[in-house]
């Protein structure tokens, strides 16, 4: 793989980490909103307890992805920022309201509803943006009028379907992780049921997305026509079935791994199916890559950063997440 | 990567969109910087308090560290989300700037990204790990938060310094060729700006904390908590406040050499002249003062605004006013800090000196005001350029129409957040 290709892959890794960790924090907000039944308050307390120490660190993955994108592929960043101005701004509002709503409620203020509602907005618009990029409609719109240039590219059935798909995936991840965080069996069962329900939703929306995929020719070709197709379908499907099986049999640790693998593989499937394009129809890895000096330094910085980062992250999760699977 | 663009929009719309974009950037940064400086300095105060508790076993220090930690959690979260907004806004508002500059200033931003990671990770451990990690590890986590907070401040200011004194590339036909990101990070403005910024964070936050508790002390709450907080606030804030005018002087001399138009605007110097005077507000003048300050030579020639075409002037009255505000408040902070230091040297008990306590209470917001004013000098003084001498702000803005809408929404959301944060903090710390 070329240097630029490796950096593009690292950006996808950062996005994957954001989806698996930060995404689940947003999914927690969804279950906060949908908390119900006799253990409503316990559910909410569990969610807050699980998110509080880690959400800010989880959130930095998104920042890392953005910073790498504008360092290494600045024309792609500029294109996305111009054409997707509206959904990205709304997504930012979601990020601001989710984060501040969450701390306000944790520290004695109000903000629960804001936190929960904003947790819907951000995954939805993140998905819409990804869907718009995948469908190749993020063109150069300089000089076009507002609706045609700045709304049409993303306000499409396909992009919206990807938005709901992202929301369902994040909710699914959160529910699966929460089965391991739960302190008692009833609570665990609550989230097991929710996980199965969300998993079904993920499947249903994926089917709709597939029906709409003629709107995203690159993805469609990747999913249906090329030799990669088999791998791109079969592997996530195996992961998904494993997750269902494990949830059914209450093998929560296996469910966690399978659910995370499923979401990661879907993201990688997207990446592979539009390779070598970063922002189809015209921006590729090669034609947007920064000069070699920048790419080399970025890689060095990433390696140096990783040496600091991974032990620290490991410690964080060891302190707060080990031993949380106390119910066997 | 072509500089400049021909917009299909008509000229009037473009001007309105440009003003909206600049205002949105200004509001977002002015909001973020408050949380950022507190995020830089507050961990230092917490660590000092916790260390004192571990050494003396006096519960008041533990109480203080925990209260500060709760307040910092709220402020840090708002800082993190408003910082995320900024990372996106660089592209949402200034895509042509980022397209051109991304490969060069991406380096400090990437390093900053890792600093954020360590900061967020260890803050999580610090805030939620009181019972989960051993005391030494807890203190070390706090120290790591403090170090990475300063590091992230330094990296982002380096990116800004590059916009003021861009180097590390060759420009040919509107494109950057032979980019050298390391050389770019060594941009001449980096050292003076980063030094001045870090001192500003410590001065504003330290004196801010000391001032709040001084106020509570004069109001008759002779609680040991307030005494401890006042002392620690001064330990962090006062030395920085005393050093800050010297750091400002270094910054000013770099500006004089590298950004003469900004200096002329700061001093409202319209004509180039030798032995230029120093002007405060509209009235007061010190003969030869400016030549002396900027070049350490009373007869030095200082370039005035007459050296550049009118359409390349920044907003002179506003830059000049902002500069005067910063210097005035900075002088006041330094004097109050010296006074406090003098009382300590004379072995007086600070906590009973009502006049000093009042002076500190008045000083509490001054550092933050000076910071906002200082950034106005830096950013407004660079106009009409976003990259000084290379790319005009007007050519960097997004072609998206209707930018007043996001500007209005962001402004309203931030106003609401500011109100709520104030209320939550009030209930958290004061009560
Ligand atoms: C506590 C805050 C504070 C205080 C007391 C001062 N400043 Fe300041 N100043 C800042 C906070 C600040 C700042 C907000 O941090 C700036 C904005 C950009 C930067 O690098 O620092 C700044 C910028 C800034 C600049 C422009 C740098 C540039 O554009 O490259 C100059 C020339 C000075 N300052 C000079 C001074 C002087 C002579 C002071 C004398 C008392 C002073 N400052 C006090
Ligand atoms: C264009 C300018 C800026 C951008 C793009 C930016 C970006 C960011 C981002 C993305 C975060 C969130 C990190 C997290 O999630 O933990 C953040 C937080 C922070 N920023 Fe900024 N920032 C800018 C200006 C500044 C300035 C001028 C300073 C200080 C001198 C600063 C200091 C900090 C600090 C210390 C934090 C940690 C969070 C906190 O303490 O509240 N930033 N910034
Ligand atoms: C946090 C402290 C900061 C404050 C309060 C601040 C303030 C401002 C203000 C008032 C403007 C509008 C200027 C105008 O258009 O008239 C502006 C613009 C801008 N600032 Fe800053 N700034 C800060 C730090 C930074 C940093 C650290 C960076 C970059 C690394 C940065 C990048 C920009 C950019 C790209 C613009 C838009 C282009 C321009 O107007 O020149 N700022 N800022």
């Amino acid at each position: 793989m070329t240097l630029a290709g490796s950096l593009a892959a690292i950006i996808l890794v950062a996005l994957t980490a954001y989806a698996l960790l930060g995404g689940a924090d947003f999914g927690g907000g969804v279950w906060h909103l949908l908390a119900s039944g006799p253990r409503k308050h316990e559910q909410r307390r569990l969610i807050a307890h699980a998110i509080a120490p880690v959400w800010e660190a989880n959130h930095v993955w998104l920042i890392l992805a953005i910073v790498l994108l504008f360092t290494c592929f600045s024309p792609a960043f500029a294109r996305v920022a111009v054409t997707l101005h509206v959904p990205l701004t709304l997504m930012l509002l979601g990020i601001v309201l989710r984060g501040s709503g969450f701390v306000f409620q944790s520290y004695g203020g109000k903000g629960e509803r804001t936190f929960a509602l904003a947790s819907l907005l951000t995954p939805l618009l993140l998905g819409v943006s990804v869907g718009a990029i995948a469908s190749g409609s993020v063109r150069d719109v300089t000089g076009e009028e507002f609706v045609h240039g700045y709304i049409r590219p993303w306000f499409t059935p396909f992009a919206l379907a990807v938005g709901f798909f992202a929301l369902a995936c994040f909710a699914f991840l959160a529910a699966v992780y929460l089965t391991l965080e739960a302190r008692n069996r009833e609570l665990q069962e609550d989230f097991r049921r929710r996980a199965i329900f969300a998993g079904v939703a993920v499947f249903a929306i994926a089917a709709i997305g597939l029906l709409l995929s003629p709107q995203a020719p690159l993805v469609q070709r990747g999913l249906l026509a090329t030799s990669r197709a088999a791998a791109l379908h079969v592997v996530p499907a195996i992961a998904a079935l494993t997750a269902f099986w494990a949830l059914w049999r209450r093998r929560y640790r296996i469910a966690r791994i399978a659910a995370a693998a499923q979401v990661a593989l879907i993201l990688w499937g997207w990446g592979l199916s539009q390779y070598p394009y970063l922002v189809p129809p015209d921006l590729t890895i090669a034609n947007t890559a920064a000069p070699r000096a920048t790419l080399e330094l970025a890689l060095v910085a990433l390696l140096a950063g990783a040496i600091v980062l991974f032990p620290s992250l490991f410690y964080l999760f060891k302190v707060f997440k080990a031993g949380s699977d106390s119910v066997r | 990567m072509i500089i400049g663009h021909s917009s299909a929009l008509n000229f009037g719309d473009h001007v309105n969109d440009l003003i909206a974009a600049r205002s949105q950037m200004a509001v977002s940064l002015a909001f973020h910087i408050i949380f950022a400086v507190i995020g830089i300095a507050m961990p230092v105060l917490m660590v000092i308090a916790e260390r004192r508790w571990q050494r003396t076993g006096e519960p008041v220090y533990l109480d203080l560290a925990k209260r500060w930690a709760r307040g910092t959690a709220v402020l840090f979260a708002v800082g993190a989300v408003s910082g995320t907004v900024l990372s996106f806004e660089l592209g949402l508002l200034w895509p042509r700037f980022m397209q051109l500059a991304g490969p060069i200033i991406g380096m400090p931003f990437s390093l900053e990204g890792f600093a954020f990671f360590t900061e967020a990770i260890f803050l999580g451990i610090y805030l939620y790990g009181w019972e989960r990690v051993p005391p030494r590890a807890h203190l070390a986590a706090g120290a790591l938060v403090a170090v990475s907070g300063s590091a992230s401040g330094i990296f982002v200011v380096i990116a800004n310094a590059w916009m003021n004194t861009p180097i590390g590339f060759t420009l040919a036909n509107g494109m950057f060729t032979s980019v050298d990101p390391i050389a770019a990070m060594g941009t001449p403005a980096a050292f003076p700006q980063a030094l001045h910024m870090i001192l500003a964070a410590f001065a504003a936050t330290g004196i801010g904390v000391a001032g709040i508790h001084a106020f509570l002390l004069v109001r008759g709450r002779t609680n040991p908590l307030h005494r401890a907080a006042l002392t620690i606030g001064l330990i962090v804030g006062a030395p920085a406040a005393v050093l800050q005018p010297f750091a400002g002087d270094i910054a000013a001399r770099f500006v004089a050499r590298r950004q003469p138009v900004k200096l002329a605007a700061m001093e409202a110097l319209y004509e180039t002249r030798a032995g230029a005077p120093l002007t405060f507000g509209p009235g007061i003048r010190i003969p030869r003062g400016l030549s002396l300050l900027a070049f350490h030579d009373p007869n030095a020639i200082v370039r005035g605004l007459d050296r550049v075409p009118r359409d390349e002037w920044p907003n002179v009255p506003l830059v000049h006013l902002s500069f005067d505000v910063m210097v005035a408040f900075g002088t006041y902070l330094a004097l109050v800090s010296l006074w406090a230091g003098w009382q300590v040297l004379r072995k007086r008990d600070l906590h009973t000196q009502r006049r000093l306590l009042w002076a500190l209470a008045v000083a509490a917001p001054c550092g933050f005001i000076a910071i906002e004013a200082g950034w106005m000098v830096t950013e407004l003084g660079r106009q009409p350029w976003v990259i000084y001498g290379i790319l005009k702000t007007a050519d960097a803005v997004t072609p998206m129409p209707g930018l007043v809408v996001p500007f209005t929404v962001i402004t309203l959301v931030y106003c609401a957040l500011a109100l709520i944060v104030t209320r939550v903090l009030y209930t958290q710390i004061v009560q």
Side-chain angles (χ1 to χ4, degrees):
Chain A
M1 206 190 275
T2 59
L3 181 56
S6 324
L7 283 156
I10 292 173
I11 293 178
L12 193 56
V13 170
L15 271 182
T16 310
Y18 182 62
L20 295 185
L21 301 166
D25 295 339
F26 282 100
V30 175
W31 298 123
H32 182 106
L33 197 66
L34 299 181
S36 61
R39 287 171 299 281
K40 191 169 167 171
H41 290 292
E42 279 149 283
Q43 289 169 7
R44 292 192 167 160
R45 217 172 314 129
L46 176 67
I47 292 165
H49 186 77
I51 295 178
V54 292
W55 71 270
E56 287 182 282
N58 291 345
H59 178 73
V60 184
W61 288 107
L62 177 66
I63 295 163
L64 192 66
I66 286 300
V67 168
L68 284 177
L69 185 65
F70 73 56
T71 307
C72 302
F73 306 99
S74 65
F77 174 68
R79 168 73 65 78
V80 170
V82 170
T83 309
L84 298 180
H85 188 113
V86 178
L88 290 178
T89 303
L90 291 172
M91 183 184 96
L92 284 177
L93 278 180
I95 288 177
V96 169
L97 296 177
R98 192 283 298 246
S100 33
F102 184 71
V103 285
F104 294 157
Q105 64 137 37
S106 313
Y107 287 91
K110 293 181 204 127
E112 281 193 51
R113 277 205 91 70
T114 318
F115 155 64
L117 287 171
S119 298
L120 299 182
L121 193 62
T122 306
L124 196 65
L125 289 156
L126 187 67
V128 165
S129 304
V130 168
I133 293 173
S135 57
S137 55
V138 180
R139 311 165 276 119
D140 181 2
V141 294
T142 310
E144 292 187 21
E145 54 84 35
F146 182 69
V147 174
H148 194 260
Y150 298 89
I151 302 289
R152 287 269 171 80
W154 57 272
F155 200 75
T156 61
F158 178 75
L160 292 173
V162 178
F164 283 102
F165 184 68
L167 186 61
C169 283
F170 290 174
F172 174 58
L173 283 177
V176 173
Y177 296 170
L178 284 166
T179 58
L180 282 168
E181 304 261 346
R183 299 261 158 220
N184 63 55
R185 204 168 280 287
E186 289 85 48
L187 214 49
Q188 205 167 34
E189 286 299 313
D190 284 352
F191 283 107
R192 171 171 169 264
R193 254 178 281 122
R194 284 168 169 71
I196 292 175
F197 169 74
V200 173
V202 168
F203 256 113
I205 303 174
I208 297 175
L210 211 57
L211 286 180
L212 294 170
S213 70
Q215 295 183 358
L218 272 174
V219 175
Q220 188 192 28
R221 207 191 38 180
L223 287 179
L224 301 177
T226 66
S227 55
R228 285 174 251 166
L232 294 186
H233 275 300
V234 173
V235 184
I238 292 175
L241 291 176
T242 313
F244 271 119
W245 170 83
L247 282 171
W248 199 255
R249 303 293 307 271
R250 300 190 170 77
R251 308 284 284 271
Y252 297 118
R253 283 161 169 272
I254 297 178
R256 175 166 65 183
I257 294 169
Q262 178 190 349
V263 172
L265 287 166
I266 291 168
L267 274 168
W268 282 80
W270 162 53
L272 278 179
S273 64
Q274 69 167 50
Y275 181 84
Y277 291 95
L278 279 180
V279 186
D282 55 338
L283 301 184
T284 62
I285 293 176
N287 72 16
T288 58
R292 198 168 174 87
T294 302
L295 298 181
E296 279 168 1
L297 273 172
L299 202 60
V300 172
L302 279 168
L303 291 177
I307 294 173
V308 181
L309 179 62
F310 284 109
S312 312
L313 270 180
F314 178 75
Y315 186 58
L316 177 74
F317 282 91
K318 195 178 134 233
V319 169
F320 293 107
K321 298 291 167 188
S324 54
D325 40 346
S326 47
V327 194
R328 292 267 124 75
Chain B
M1 292 200 263
I2 310 291
I3 299 182
H5 70 283
S6 50
S7 170
L9 299 170
N10 72 46
F11 186 67
D13 282 344
H14 184 69
V15 169
N16 285 337
D17 280 328
L18 178 61
I19 292 175
R22 289 169 60 178
S23 310
Q24 182 175 336
M25 197 70 195
V27 167
S28 311
L29 283 157
F31 184 81
H32 179 67
I33 192 68
I34 300 292
F35 299 90
V37 292
I38 294 174
I40 291 173
M42 222 42 222
V44 178
L45 276 87
M46 294 181 325
V47 166
I48 295 178
E50 189 180 350
R51 178 98 186 98
R52 293 197 160 195
W53 172 64
Q54 289 183 359
R55 278 179 65 197
T56 64
E58 283 185 40
V60 53
Y61 289 119
L62 181 63
D63 187 20
L64 196 57
K66 289 203 165 175
R67 275 169 196 252
W68 278 343
R70 283 202 294 273
T72 303
V74 176
L75 293 165
F76 191 90
V78 179
V81 294
S82 60
T84 309
V85 171
L86 281 171
S87 318
F88 277 88
E89 273 177 350
L90 286 173
L92 291 173
L93 300 174
W94 317 105
R96 292 184 168 86
F97 162 63
M98 287 313 284
Q99 176 158 349
L100 191 64
I104 303 181
I105 57 170
M107 198 59 199
F109 278 115
S110 310
L111 296 172
E112 193 202 15
F114 282 104
F116 287 149
F117 252 127
T118 35
E119 200 179 356
I121 289 170
F122 290 104
L123 191 78
I125 292 170
Y126 191 87
L127 294 178
Y128 298 93
W130 289 97
E131 271 88 43
R132 291 187 183 232
V133 298
R136 272 165 173 256
H138 192 260
L139 192 68
L144 282 169
V145 177
V147 171
S148 35
S150 287
S152 42
I154 291 172
F155 287 130
V156 73
V157 169
I158 288 177
N160 181 264
W162 181 85
M163 294 159 59
N164 289 329
T165 52
I167 60 165
F169 55 86
T170 29
L171 190 67
N173 304 326
M175 311 230 306
F176 285 169
T177 51
S178 55
V179 171
D180 183 349
I182 297 279
M185 281 182 68
T187 177
F191 170 71
Q193 275 195 239
L195 176 70
H196 197 52
M197 180 72 243
I198 293 300
L199 287 175
F202 288 138
T205 311
I207 303 278
V209 167
I212 290 173
H213 292 278
F215 179 73
L216 294 168
L217 281 170
V218 236
R219 295 293 299 274
R221 301 203 196 169
T222 49
N223 173 332
L225 185 97
H226 297 310
R227 294 163 154 257
L230 176 70
T231 311
I232 297 176
L234 282 175
I235 289 174
V236 172
V242 173
L243 291 176
Q244 187 67 326
F246 297 99
D249 175 56
I250 298 176
R253 278 186 292 134
F254 269 85
V255 172
R257 264 175 285 147
R258 291 296 189 136
Q259 308 173 73
V261 187
K262 186 185 278 183
L263 184 81
M266 274 155 54
E267 301 294 352
L269 184 71
Y270 290 92
E271 285 156 30
T272 303
R273 55 181 293 182
L278 197 61
T279 319
F280 292 108
I284 311 165
R285 279 172 167 250
I286 302 175
R288 299 183 191 277
L290 179 55
S291 291
L292 193 62
L293 272 183
F295 295 96
H296 288 194
D297 167 5
N299 297 314
I301 296 176
V302 182
R303 276 182 277 176
L305 288 158
D306 53 357
R307 288 290 180 89
V308 285
R310 187 74 209 234
D311 64 351
E312 287 185 13
W313 287 17
N315 182 333
V316 179
L318 211 52
V319 176
H320 180 54
L321 175 70
S322 304
F323 186 65
D324 282 357
V325 167
M326 168 172 59
V327 173
F329 283 69
T331 311
Y332 178 67
L333 285 177
L335 290 176
V336 174
S337 302
L338 285 173
W339 182 8
W342 172 241
Q343 298 298 337
V344 172
L345 282 182
R346 288 173 51 198
K347 304 227 169 357
R348 297 286 167 86
D349 180 7
L350 295 184
H351 311 104
T352 54
Q353 307 236 337
R354 293 187 64 83
R355 266 195 283 169
L356 176 62
L357 291 179
W358 270 116
L360 278 168
V362 171
C366 290
F368 294 96
I369 298 172
I371 286 177
E372 299 286 0
W375 279 106
M376 294 299 149
V377 174
T378 303
E379 303 290 306
L380 293 171
R382 190 182 56 241
Q383 301 304 316
W385 303 99
V386 55
I387 308 173
Y388 189 60
I390 307 274
L391 178 68
K392 291 231 165 110
T393 310
D395 295 327
V397 71
T398 175
M400 217 230 12
L403 290 175
V404 275
V405 179
F407 162 60
T408 315
V409 173
I410 291 270
T411 308
L412 291 177
V413 168
Y414 279 177
C415 288
L417 277 189
L419 282 177
I420 302 175
V421 170
T422 319
R423 268 207 6 225
V424 172
L425 284 188
Y426 186 75
T427 50
Q428 275 297 313
I429 304 177
V430 179
Q431 289 178 355

